Amino acid sequence: QVQLVESGGGLVQPGGSLTLSCAASGFTFNDYDIKWDRQVPGKAREFVARISSNGDWTFYGDSVKGRFTISRDNAKNTGYLQLNHLKPEDTALYYCVAQRQFELYRGQGTQVTVSS
């Protein structure tokens, strides 16, 4: 059974930091790129970051570039997203996605709320 389970979300003040984790099981994790998306109710889903299957390249959305860092540990079947210098506009439900060509798995998401 394929599972992606996100964790690490929560309430944080502007300027603060969080680390999101994405624990994978039920598929060959290191065959898949890992991507993080986010969504606010009533708005389109937004691309946040992506990392290749072996971690040799990363790519970021313009709104998070320089503040967020994506990484992975293939030995632990886990992906990560480090969120720094958080802003209120980063408030969203953050999803982990495992993707290999047209094959895609998505987790249930973890809520990040940035507010004073």
Side-chain angles (χ1 to χ4, degrees):
Q1 180 184 357
V2 170
Q3 277 196 311
L4 286 172
V5 180
E6 300 95 335
S7 61
L11 174 64
V12 62
Q13 292 188 341
S17 298
L18 284 173
T19 302
L20 307 184
S21 298
C22 171
S25 60
F27 64 100
T28 306
F29 182 73
N30 58 11
D31 282 350
Y32 290 72
D33 290 2
I34 294 298
K35 187 173 67 151
W36 289 88
D37 293 336
R38 64 187 183 185
Q39 188 158 24
V40 175
K43 294 189 176 181
R45 188 176 300 139
E46 179 186 7
F47 167 77
V48 175
R50 182 167 179 153
I51 185 168
S52 60
S53 58
N54 63 3
D56 63 349
W57 61 260
T58 57
F59 187 71
Y60 295 90
D62 288 341
S63 61
V64 308
K65 205 173 295 183
R67 299 188 298 122
F68 292 6
T69 303
I70 190 170
S71 62
R72 65 190 297 160
D73 186 338
N74 284 349
K76 295 182 178 179
N77 285 355
T78 302
Y80 303 95
L81 185 69
Q82 177 69 38
L83 291 67
N84 295 326
H85 305 295
L86 282 160
K87 304 175 182 180
E89 52 264 42
D90 294 318
T91 295
L93 187 62
Y94 284 71
Y95 294 94
C96 172
V97 179
Q99 186 166 2
R100 179 178 66 175
Q101 296 182 335
F102 300 110
E103 198 173 348
L104 188 148
Y105 305 119
R106 182 184 302 276
Q108 294 298 306
T110 185
Q111 178 68 35
V112 172
T113 302
V114 184
S115 175
S116 55

